[in-house]
Amino acid sequence: MANYLAQFQTVKNSCDRVVAAVEDVSDLWPTVKGLFEEHQPLKRAFLTNRTRNPVLVENLPVEFILTTDARLRSRSPQEQYLFWFREPYATIVLVTCEDLDEFKNILKPRLKLIVQNDEREWFIVFVSKAHPSNDQATKSVKKVYAKLEVDFSSKKRERCCKLDIHGPNANFWEDLELKITECIRNTLDRRVLFYEDEIRKLTEQRFMPIWNFCNFFILKESLAFIFEMAHLHEDALREYDELELCYLETVNMPGKQREFGGFDSEDDQATLLKPGSKPLTQIVQDDSFREFDFRQYLFACQSRLLFKLNRPSEVSSRGYSFIISFAKALTLHEGVLPFCLREVWVITACLGLLDATASHHHDGIVAPDIEKEFYRLQGDLYSLARVKFMRLGYLIGYGIDIEKSPLNSACLSMMPWPKPAVWPSLPPDASSEVLEKEKTILQATSRTKHFGIQRKPLPLEPSVLLRVANRRRASLSTGNIPEIFDGRPGFTEGSGLEASPRTPSSLKVQAPPMSRTNSSPGNFESPLDRPMRLAEIFVAAEHALRLTISDQDLLKALSSTQDFEHKYLNLTKGAAENYHRSWWKRHGVVLDGEIAAVCFKHGKYDLAANSYEKVCALYAGERWQELLAEVLPNLAECQKNLNDQAGYMSSCVRLLSLDKGLFSPTERQAFQIEVVNLAHSEMKNPVPLDVSSLITFSGNTGPPLQLCDGDPGTLSVTVWSGFPDDITLDSLSLTLVATNNTDEGGQALKSSAATVLKPGRNTITFDLPPQKPGSYVLGVVTGQIGRLRFRSHSFSKGGPADTDDFMSYEKPTRPILKVSKPRALVDLASAVSSALLINEAQWIGIIVHPINYSLKGAILHIDTGPGLKIEDSYGIEMERYKETDCDAGASKSEVSVEDIPSSPERDSEVLNLCDGKIVFSEWASNVSSILWVPVRAFSGKLARGSSSVAPLKQDILEGMRTVALKLEFGVHHNQIFERTVAAHFTDPFDVTTRVVNKCNDGTLVLQVMLHSLVKANLIVLDAWLDLQEGFVHGKSDGRPTSTFFPLVVSPGSRAAVVFSISLEKTSSGKDLQLPESILNIKYEIHGDRAAGAHKPVDADHSGADSERRDLVFKSAIVLQRPVLDPCLAVGFLPLPSDGLRVGKLITMQWRVERLKELKGSEAVEQHDEVLYEVNANSENWMIAGRKRGHVSLSEEKGSRVVISILCIPLVAGYVRPPQLSLPNVEEENVRSNPPGPHLVCVLPPLLSSSYCVPVK
């Protein structure tokens, strides 16, 4: 089977579509060929894939070939099975006939012979030539076609279809497409089963000696090609994948030595996308293929199918993996391959894949994540080609022009040097080129960085090229180290082309003079024996590469420094652009730095600065400070050359912000000098700058500063300076941020004067104005240095934790200030809750109770209300207040700090009232104290007694007086507390009178009850009664027996004094309207001012007993003559027998009867009319009639009148009914029945039946 390899490849290349054979029985093909080809390809073909699942194939092309064509001539069975993929998949039999007898005798037997082969899939197309106008011909054709269907079609399968040349054929083409698709599907299934069976047989023999991979390859690729022709690309791709796995398994089998390949012309150019670059017969080797060519051929077939599947991203993914794995295979055979074939092949493979995949990829067609992954792979391919290209450039002496960046150093340091069996020798006629290279090497000097920064250049190679190249020479053994390095000790391990000016001498190679031993005889001066110099290595490698590289573009790129740099820049830009469009944007930014280095080299500072800024932002964000230290000086130099003062200043500050170990102290001082000079230069506009990494800050250790709402204070903040020397700040401010509302901007605290920051830790003090309640953290530190406005929002960090310089990042931020919510800082309360004596000088106690707050220097304003005044002649006493048991229930937050040792130990003091205010002493700043203020409450009303029958109600508000207090306290008297204190003043006694007895002689015994109204002992010394007109004293002088005095009345108790009085004999014409009686009581009071009423202030401060002022209490007593001869009688008539109900209208009636005739002035005033008035509680009754009016009543004795009022009860229960009064008649002339107030019963309303539901 392997002998057919050449023919197999030829047949495969000439066949690319599914073939349908046309059996033209009636010579119709020239007529219908055009119609058949117009309806190609097949629009919708349902085929069966490898897993026997239906697959929709759109636009399947089919090639129609006559069976008489030479391409379909008969072959041998072996050849037929071998190239079965090109055999027809369907046979179309074209026939026509208009005569039924001709069909039966001639056409039908012939068709039987054609379709008797069961292996072919066939169907018959009957072509009708009858014109629609010829009815006879049309009928004849229908009969023939009907007979054709009966003979060749069955219920299982329709094998006939009719094409009418002169009529419409819309359904025919759909029917034709279905029949062709069915034939192709059946044939495809049968052939796939055959190939799978054959492949299975060979697979079982792959570990036998007779195994031949070429036979397996032909069958496997034939099956793949069948799928590819049927547009089942997924199945074809799967076959190639299995073929690759089988080949790798076969090629790695031990015991067989196979040629790798790679020695042919143009093998340095990858053929990953050209499956036909070499014929298969050229790469065959024994029973297999050369690995170098065959693996590329398989990948080319796979990529072709992936492109047909519109999956360029997968081509890139597979291509990158294939390049990496194939490069490892090239490394294993590097000793026998041409010089640097691996590097050249990788470059061409990457560039070829990049061009092909970019042309097939279109944005927006695939999902966003797949698109980003595609660009990431493109970036990887560009990066791989870039690194290999740099390696070739370094081999030929272009390493001087490669930027010694961290990226380039890392990439090239991980890549080994080429390892040929023998390093290329120097051509005999290359002396001039060597001389030119040496001159270039000697003239190469390292660029001095800005600020005079001296840094050791990064290496660009894993080891010294001199050592590697000379070790690979055939006739050199070891030799002296100075001779290998051409006597130049500057070339140390990993130093590249330049020696560092800062390299210590101890690190340089010290070569003591010693004789060199050489294992090979001969003259040492021979070019084969003498170690090659670096320039000679460059020239030899360049000549060897010219023999290896066949790609003219790559040769041109390595022909000169300019072309090399141009190609290097294109590869770098390609990688950066693709990384930027993927999710590996950081890689793109790093490569932007390499582009910036080239731009910087050629003086394109604007382009270089833009790229360097991106790189610095990435390095700063990732905290790669060592890498940032490499790039940031270049950015600063670009900004300085562009006169970008703001950017240059920012770069200098960022250089200062880096770790101190990255730069020497001298270099850091140079950075600071640049910053200060720029800040004080004549810049047009101030430059805002963030110095968060240079100037940091934090609160001091310990608890946060505690302030109350509205209090100012002083805040100390630790500021760390990263400057190497002292620096003067023109201004410095600090912003506090409330933790409960971060959206609201904090208040800025400004330093009062210029601040000098020393390196390291500094303590700065800020004046703190009153803040809103809440917790505050440090926000932003801002300041100004000349024209530089800086801000910092970072917390400090310092040295180790066990030193004083340690400051750690605080997350979450620890509050530095806590301002408590508005709370009671002090409490003012009255010390006495019981009543004081009215019209007497009394002490009012005011308790001042600080609550965890100092009252040092507090001022209390006292303002008395109406009816109350302060006795200015006496001082205000202030004394320490000791809590009683009733105060023990106060919460801990309200307990005063009266045991603070700093408070002086004093108990009392007399203060003077000045302009209505007093100033607190220092000893009372932190303790609870009580102020005793002398006041006097005035009342012009005379106390009135009441009768035991109708006692008077005491009006509490009548004796109330108020004192307005305003306390100003705090450091700046910013805290104000206001409160109004009420004090109750009253008379010492409440007087109640009643007649307890009436003697036979008309003498009345009057009992006067004295009820103590104060919380003190009252001592009654004397009592007398001044009677009103109409009453006279009895046998005594109006005083009780003196033996009863002094009478002590305890607090809240009662005492009684008895007087003897009688009615005065008066004439009938005398006026009975008399004035009030006055009760006089002389008393003393013994009480404590802390409890209530007490001895008046002026009495306490009086001199001897003779000068003592007596206290006299006076009360008016109403004595009423008894009603002995009434004129009118008012009676309440009985209510209805059914009672009263809420909401039911009733009539209230009163009967007024004249008992005697009025004489004199009374008769003149009243005449025959009586004024009446009905009084009722509006909550209990609703009056429907007139409440007030006149009724006629005759002046004759016994005359009567009934007064009726309609009313409605509003509430149920026992309520007081409406009362009838006669306003114009004195009470002593009216007798009522009942004589006093009474109650009536009101029933609830009846239930309503409107909403009742009857119960069954």
Side-chain angles (χ1 to χ4, degrees):
M1 191 182 297
N3 300 327
Y4 293 98
L5 191 60
Q7 187 180 358
F8 168 74
Q9 188 172 10
T10 303
V11 172
K12 192 184 70 169
N13 293 336
S14 63
C15 181
D16 59 346
R17 288 184 293 179
V18 173
V19 176
V22 179
E23 187 72 37
D24 192 4
V25 177
S26 304
D27 297 330
L28 296 172
W29 180 243
T31 305
V32 300
K33 178 180 179 181
L35 296 176
F36 273 66
E37 292 180 350
E38 283 178 5
H39 291 82
Q40 289 299 310
L42 303 181
K43 302 299 185 297
R44 296 171 61 85
F46 282 93
L47 303 180
T48 306
N49 63 4
R50 185 182 178 186
T51 58
R52 305 300 183 265
N53 294 321
V55 177
L56 174 62
V57 178
E58 297 181 352
N59 299 325
L60 176 64
V62 177
E63 183 180 5
F64 298 101
I65 302 177
L66 288 172
T67 55
T68 57
D69 194 297
R71 291 174 291 177
L72 298 182
R73 67 179 181 269
S74 61
R75 304 179 182 87
S76 63
Q78 175 69 22
E79 183 181 354
Q80 209 168 30
Y81 283 122
L82 187 61
F83 306 115
W84 209 2
F85 57 85
R86 75 169 184 178
E87 294 299 318
Y89 288 77
T91 300
I92 304 173
V93 182
L94 293 177
V95 298
T96 184
C97 183
E98 296 181 359
D99 185 23
L100 188 58
D101 295 336
E102 181 183 353
F103 170 74
K104 293 179 179 180
N105 299 327
I106 300 174
L107 187 58
K108 180 179 178 180
R110 188 175 178 183
L111 291 177
K112 291 288 185 180
L113 291 174
I114 293 174
V115 302
Q116 67 182 358
N117 187 359
D118 294 337
E119 295 182 356
R120 290 194 301 179
E121 289 289 330
W122 57 273
F123 65 94
I124 299 174
V125 177
F126 183 83
V127 181
S128 174
K129 297 182 180 180
H131 198 273
S133 60
N134 191 343
D135 295 339
Q136 184 178 359
T138 303
K139 293 179 181 179
S140 179
V141 166
K142 289 183 178 179
K143 292 180 181 180
V144 173
Y145 181 69
K147 183 62 176 175
L148 180 69
E149 285 185 319
V150 171
D151 293 340
F152 293 96
S153 295
S154 64
K155 293 182 179 180
K156 295 182 179 180
R157 187 171 179 182
E158 289 286 338
R159 290 185 179 271
C160 299
C161 57
K162 181 181 177 182
L163 173 62
D164 192 351
I165 296 178
H166 301 289
N169 296 291
N171 296 330
F172 167 76
W173 297 113
E174 295 180 2
D175 193 19
L176 178 68
E177 183 172 325
L178 291 176
K179 286 181 169 52
I180 294 177
T181 301
E182 185 179 10
C183 293
I184 293 174
R185 181 171 59 250
N186 294 337
T187 305
L188 181 65
D189 293 345
R190 187 164 55 251
R191 293 178 182 178
V192 168
L193 288 175
F194 167 77
Y195 276 107
E196 287 181 347
D197 187 55
E198 293 296 323
I199 291 170
R200 189 180 304 110
K201 293 177 183 179
L202 287 180
T203 303
E204 294 173 354
Q205 301 173 2
R206 69 181 183 275
F207 297 112
M208 297 182 180
I210 61 173
W211 165 261
N212 190 304
F213 181 78
C214 293
N215 297 339
F216 180 81
F217 164 74
I218 292 175
L219 290 176
K220 198 71 172 174
E221 191 171 35
S222 297
L223 180 58
F225 194 65
I226 287 177
F227 287 128
E228 186 175 357
M229 284 195 305
H231 282 206
L232 299 175
H233 301 305
E234 290 283 0
D235 297 279
L237 180 63
R238 191 176 296 110
E239 296 299 328
Y240 277 114
D241 291 343
E242 293 177 359
L243 183 60
E244 182 182 14
L245 292 175
C246 185
Y247 175 76
L248 293 177
E249 186 180 279
T250 304
V251 79
N252 294 326
M253 289 178 60
K256 290 187 179 181
Q257 297 294 330
R258 294 183 175 87
E259 181 183 347
F260 180 75
F263 302 102
D264 296 340
S265 176
E266 297 184 357
D267 275 356
D268 61 299
Q269 299 184 41
T271 58
L272 299 183
L273 303 173
K274 301 175 182 178
S277 60
K278 285 185 181 181
L280 294 176
T281 54
Q282 186 177 344
I283 64 174
V284 70
Q285 181 185 7
D286 298 334
D287 57 350
S288 185
F289 300 94
R290 290 203 301 264
E291 182 179 356
F292 180 84
D293 301 296
F294 188 69
R295 288 186 64 184
Q296 294 188 70
Y297 169 79
L298 289 179
F299 182 83
C301 296
Q302 292 169 343
S303 61
R304 180 186 66 217
L305 293 172
L306 288 172
F307 281 135
K308 289 182 179 180
L309 290 170
N310 196 23
R311 300 212 295 253
S313 176
E314 190 171 347
V315 175
S316 297
S317 177
R318 289 182 175 226
Y320 184 79
S321 301
F322 178 80
I323 291 173
I324 297 299
S325 63
F326 198 72
K328 294 179 181 179
L330 293 176
T331 303
L332 297 177
H333 301 85
E334 188 176 8
V336 298
L337 292 175
F339 182 67
C340 286
L341 178 69
R342 177 187 59 190
E343 284 76 12
V344 177
W345 183 90
V346 170
I347 294 173
T348 57
C350 291
L351 296 180
L353 272 177
L354 287 168
D355 294 339
T357 52
S359 62
H360 285 81
H361 178 77
H362 303 285
D363 290 340
I365 296 180
V366 297
D369 54 342
I370 298 178
E371 186 169 326
K372 288 182 178 294
E373 179 66 15
F374 169 76
Y375 285 117
R376 196 269 303 172
L377 292 168
Q378 297 292 94
D380 288 346
L381 290 171
Y382 269 113
S383 297
L384 183 58
R386 173 180 173 275
V387 174
K388 295 295 184 180
F389 185 70
M390 283 194 298
R391 171 58 75 219
L392 294 181
Y394 196 93
L395 285 173
I396 62 177
Y398 295 156
I400 300 172
D401 302 312
I402 299 176
E403 176 71 15
K404 295 177 178 57
S405 63
L407 173 64
N408 292 341
S409 175
C411 292
L412 292 177
S413 297
M414 292 186 293
M415 184 179 297
W417 294 105
K419 297 179 181 179
V422 178
W423 195 269
S425 300
L426 184 67
D429 54 348
S431 57
S432 60
E433 297 179 25
V434 173
L435 184 61
E436 188 67 25
K437 288 289 184 182
E438 288 182 343
K439 186 185 299 183
T440 304
I441 294 173
L442 293 174
Q443 290 176 354
T445 57
S446 60
R447 180 178 63 87
T448 303
K449 286 197 173 186
H450 193 45
F451 303 108
I453 298 175
Q454 300 292 332
R455 302 180 70 83
K456 180 180 179 180
L458 295 171
L460 289 180
E461 67 279 346
S463 59
V464 179
L465 178 60
L466 278 170
R467 181 178 303 168
V468 174
N470 285 302
R471 281 180 179 176
R472 290 287 170 181
R473 299 192 63 219
S475 59
L476 180 67
S477 59
T478 301
N480 280 340
I481 292 179
E483 292 177 354
I484 292 178
F485 291 114
D486 199 18
R488 298 175 62 187
F491 289 93
T492 59
E493 182 73 20
S495 64
L497 299 181
E498 306 173 20
S500 172
R502 296 179 60 185
T503 304
S505 59
S506 61
L507 297 179
K508 296 182 180 180
V509 180
Q510 301 295 331
M514 60 182 293
S515 61
R516 184 172 66 89
T517 60
N518 193 354
S519 60
S520 61
N523 188 6
F524 178 75
E525 297 300 330
S526 171
L528 292 178
D529 297 337
R530 179 180 58 81
M532 295 176 67
R533 298 193 301 273
L534 190 60
E536 294 173 341
I537 294 174
F538 290 158
V539 174
E542 185 175 1
H543 280 271
L545 282 175
R546 291 174 185 172
L547 298 176
T548 302
I549 301 174
S550 61
D551 187 358
Q552 296 301 318
D553 292 338
L554 186 57
L555 279 175
K556 184 177 182 302
L558 296 173
S559 61
S560 64
T561 304
Q562 293 77 12
D563 293 331
F564 172 80
E565 189 176 273
H566 179 72
K567 185 69 174 179
Y568 166 80
L569 193 60
N570 289 339
L571 293 175
T572 306
K573 287 181 178 179
E577 291 173 359
N578 282 279
Y579 279 136
H580 280 304
R581 301 176 73 176
S582 71
W583 42 45
W584 284 16
K585 298 185 182 299
R586 295 191 303 179
H587 291 65
V589 173
V590 174
L591 288 170
D592 283 339
E594 305 304 320
I595 300 173
V598 178
C599 296
F600 180 82
K601 176 182 176 182
H602 294 285
K604 300 177 181 178
Y605 298 117
D606 51 347
L607 299 177
N610 292 334
S611 298
Y612 276 137
E613 286 177 355
K614 299 178 184 178
V615 178
C616 292
L618 172 64
Y619 290 168
E622 298 294 338
R623 301 183 183 274
W624 296 339
Q625 297 212 5
E626 293 185 357
L627 298 177
L628 188 60
E630 294 286 339
V631 182
L632 196 53
N634 297 336
L635 174 60
E637 188 172 355
C638 291
Q639 292 167 336
K640 184 176 183 180
N641 293 330
L642 293 172
N643 198 25
D644 181 9
Q645 294 180 335
Y648 182 51
M649 185 184 298
S650 174
S651 298
C652 294
V653 171
R654 292 170 70 181
L655 285 169
L656 284 169
S657 304
L658 298 179
D659 290 342
K660 297 179 181 180
L662 296 175
F663 298 101
S664 64
T666 305
E667 293 168 351
R668 289 176 53 81
Q669 290 173 356
F671 302 156
Q672 181 175 344
I673 292 173
E674 290 290 329
V675 171
V676 175
N677 291 339
L678 284 172
H680 292 88
S681 63
E682 297 181 358
M683 290 190 295
K684 295 182 180 180
N685 299 315
V687 177
L689 200 59
D690 191 339
V691 295
S692 300
S693 54
L694 185 60
I695 296 179
T696 56
F697 56 93
S698 70
N700 290 329
T701 57
L705 178 62
Q706 300 278 350
L707 291 180
C708 293
D709 180 33
D711 279 356
T714 301
L715 184 64
S716 297
V717 177
T718 301
V719 179
W720 285 72
S721 172
F723 289 96
D725 293 331
D726 295 352
I727 188 167
T728 302
L729 309 181
D730 298 340
S731 64
L732 184 66
S733 60
L734 172 68
T735 302
L736 297 179
V737 179
T739 56
N740 58 348
N741 188 6
T742 56
D743 296 334
E744 182 179 351
Q747 184 176 1
L749 310 178
K750 295 185 178 180
S751 180
S752 57
T755 304
V756 178
L757 291 183
K758 297 181 180 180
R761 183 173 183 173
N762 301 268
T763 301
I764 309 298
T765 302
F766 295 93
D767 293 333
L768 186 65
Q771 303 291 321
K772 294 181 179 180
S775 296
Y776 291 84
V777 296
L778 298 177
V780 180
V781 166
T782 58
Q784 190 162 350
I785 306 174
R787 303 290 286 175
L788 169 62
R789 292 178 180 174
F790 65 86
R791 60 183 283 119
S792 174
H793 49 78
S794 290
F795 298 102
S796 298
K797 64 177 181 177
D802 55 352
T803 65
D804 294 337
D805 296 336
F806 175 74
M807 287 287 177
S808 63
Y809 284 96
E810 301 170 17
K811 295 180 180 180
T813 307
R814 182 174 60 89
I816 191 174
L817 171 65
K818 286 187 177 181
V819 180
S820 61
K821 293 181 179 180
R823 65 176 181 88
L825 304 178
V826 68
D827 188 24
L828 300 178
S830 176
V832 180
S833 59
S834 59
L836 302 174
L837 290 179
I838 199 167
N839 293 322
E840 299 293 344
Q842 297 280 281
W843 293 102
I844 286 184
I846 300 173
I847 300 175
V848 182
H849 184 70
I851 305 174
N852 293 333
Y853 199 86
S854 176
L855 299 181
K856 183 177 181 180
I859 299 175
L860 179 63
H861 297 263
I862 304 176
D863 184 16
T864 58
L868 185 68
K869 79 165 188 175
I870 299 176
E871 295 291 333
D872 298 334
S873 58
Y874 307 104
I876 297 177
E877 297 181 6
M878 187 175 190
E879 61 186 26
R880 184 185 293 267
Y881 174 72
K882 295 183 180 179
E883 295 181 359
T884 59
D885 295 339
C886 62
D887 300 325
S891 62
K892 293 182 180 180
S893 60
E894 297 180 356
V895 175
S896 63
V897 285
E898 54 181 79
D899 294 330
I900 296 179
S902 59
S903 300
E905 290 294 337
R906 294 187 62 179
D907 290 333
S908 63
E909 184 180 1
V910 178
L911 305 176
N912 294 322
L913 186 67
C914 181
D915 297 332
K917 60 184 179 181
I918 58 174
V919 181
F920 280 27
S921 300
E922 184 176 357
W923 66 270
S925 60
N926 292 312
V927 298
S928 295
S929 57
I930 183 170
L931 295 171
W932 294 106
V933 183
V935 297
R936 185 186 299 272
F938 295 96
S939 176
K941 296 176 63 176
L942 183 64
R944 300 184 65 84
S946 60
S947 172
S948 60
V949 177
L952 294 178
K953 293 183 178 180
Q954 293 290 335
D955 189 1
I956 300 177
L957 297 179
E958 183 177 352
M960 282 293 179
R961 301 293 186 270
T962 58
V963 180
L965 304 175
K966 179 181 178 182
L967 182 64
E968 297 177 355
F969 58 101
V971 179
H972 299 287
H973 290 172
N974 55 294
Q975 300 287 354
I976 296 177
F977 181 80
E978 295 180 344
R979 174 164 289 180
T980 299
V981 177
H984 184 209
F985 293 86
T986 185
D987 295 313
F989 300 103
D990 178 29
V991 178
T992 305
T993 62
R994 70 170 181 163
V995 177
V996 295
N997 194 9
K998 183 179 180 181
C999 300
N1000 293 330
D1001 58 355
T1003 303
L1004 302 176
V1005 179
L1006 179 65
Q1007 184 184 43
V1008 179
M1009 301 292 295
L1010 301 179
H1011 181 200
S1012 175
L1013 298 179
V1014 294
K1015 223 174 190 180
N1017 290 329
L1018 296 174
I1019 303 174
V1020 179
L1021 302 177
D1022 193 6
W1024 65 95
L1025 186 63
D1026 296 332
L1027 293 175
Q1028 63 191 58
E1029 295 182 7
F1031 294 90
V1032 294
H1033 293 287
K1035 300 178 180 180
S1036 62
D1037 57 353
R1039 296 176 181 268
T1041 306
S1042 61
T1043 57
F1044 293 156
F1045 302 108
L1047 176 62
V1048 179
V1049 183
S1050 301
S1053 62
R1054 298 174 184 268
V1057 180
V1058 179
F1059 292 92
S1060 173
I1061 62 174
S1062 61
L1063 295 175
E1064 184 181 0
K1065 302 294 183 177
T1066 58
S1067 61
S1068 59
K1070 187 177 178 181
D1071 189 1
L1072 298 178
Q1073 185 68 30
L1074 301 175
E1076 298 174 332
S1077 300
I1078 303 299
L1079 173 65
N1080 300 280
I1081 297 177
K1082 181 180 179 182
Y1083 69 98
E1084 288 183 356
I1085 183 170
H1086 291 172
D1088 185 4
R1089 64 181 180 181
H1094 52 276
K1095 187 180 296 185
V1097 178
D1098 51 0
D1100 289 341
H1101 290 75
S1102 61
D1105 293 342
S1106 59
E1107 300 177 2
R1108 184 176 60 188
R1109 183 174 62 85
D1110 294 330
L1111 300 178
V1112 177
F1113 167 69
K1114 294 185 178 183
S1115 177
I1117 299 176
V1118 178
L1119 298 177
Q1120 187 174 353
R1121 290 171 61 88
V1123 181
L1124 301 177
D1125 191 14
C1127 297
L1128 299 174
V1130 179
F1132 184 76
L1133 297 181
L1135 296 172
S1137 60
D1138 55 350
L1140 304 179
R1141 286 190 181 275
V1142 174
K1144 181 179 179 181
L1145 187 65
I1146 62 169
T1147 302
M1148 291 283 185
Q1149 295 181 338
W1150 293 269
R1151 183 173 60 196
V1152 180
E1153 181 179 357
R1154 190 180 299 275
L1155 301 179
K1156 68 176 183 176
E1157 297 180 0
L1158 295 178
K1159 298 180 180 181
S1161 60
E1162 294 180 358
V1164 175
E1165 293 177 0
Q1166 296 186 8
H1167 301 288
D1168 57 351
E1169 289 187 351
V1170 176
L1171 176 66
Y1172 72 91
E1173 183 176 7
V1174 178
N1175 299 316
N1177 189 346
S1178 60
E1179 296 180 357
N1180 300 335
W1181 300 90
M1182 184 174 68
I1183 305 300
R1186 295 181 59 184
K1187 295 182 179 181
R1188 187 182 178 94
H1190 291 82
V1191 293
S1192 298
L1193 182 63
S1194 176
E1195 296 180 1
E1196 296 179 359
K1197 179 180 178 181
S1199 58
R1200 298 178 180 181
V1201 66
V1202 176
I1203 300 175
S1204 300
I1205 295 294
L1206 292 177
C1207 58
I1208 299 175
L1210 300 180
V1211 295
Y1214 287 92
V1215 295
R1216 182 169 295 175
Q1219 301 292 324
L1220 179 69
S1221 62
L1222 304 176
N1224 291 341
V1225 181
E1226 297 294 338
E1227 293 181 4
E1228 61 267 17
N1229 291 326
V1230 179
R1231 183 176 64 189
S1232 299
N1233 183 27
H1238 64 285
L1239 300 177
V1240 295
C1241 180
V1242 180
L1243 300 177
L1246 294 175
L1247 294 176
S1248 176
S1249 61
S1250 301
Y1251 303 99
C1252 293
V1253 178
V1255 179
K1256 295 181 181 180

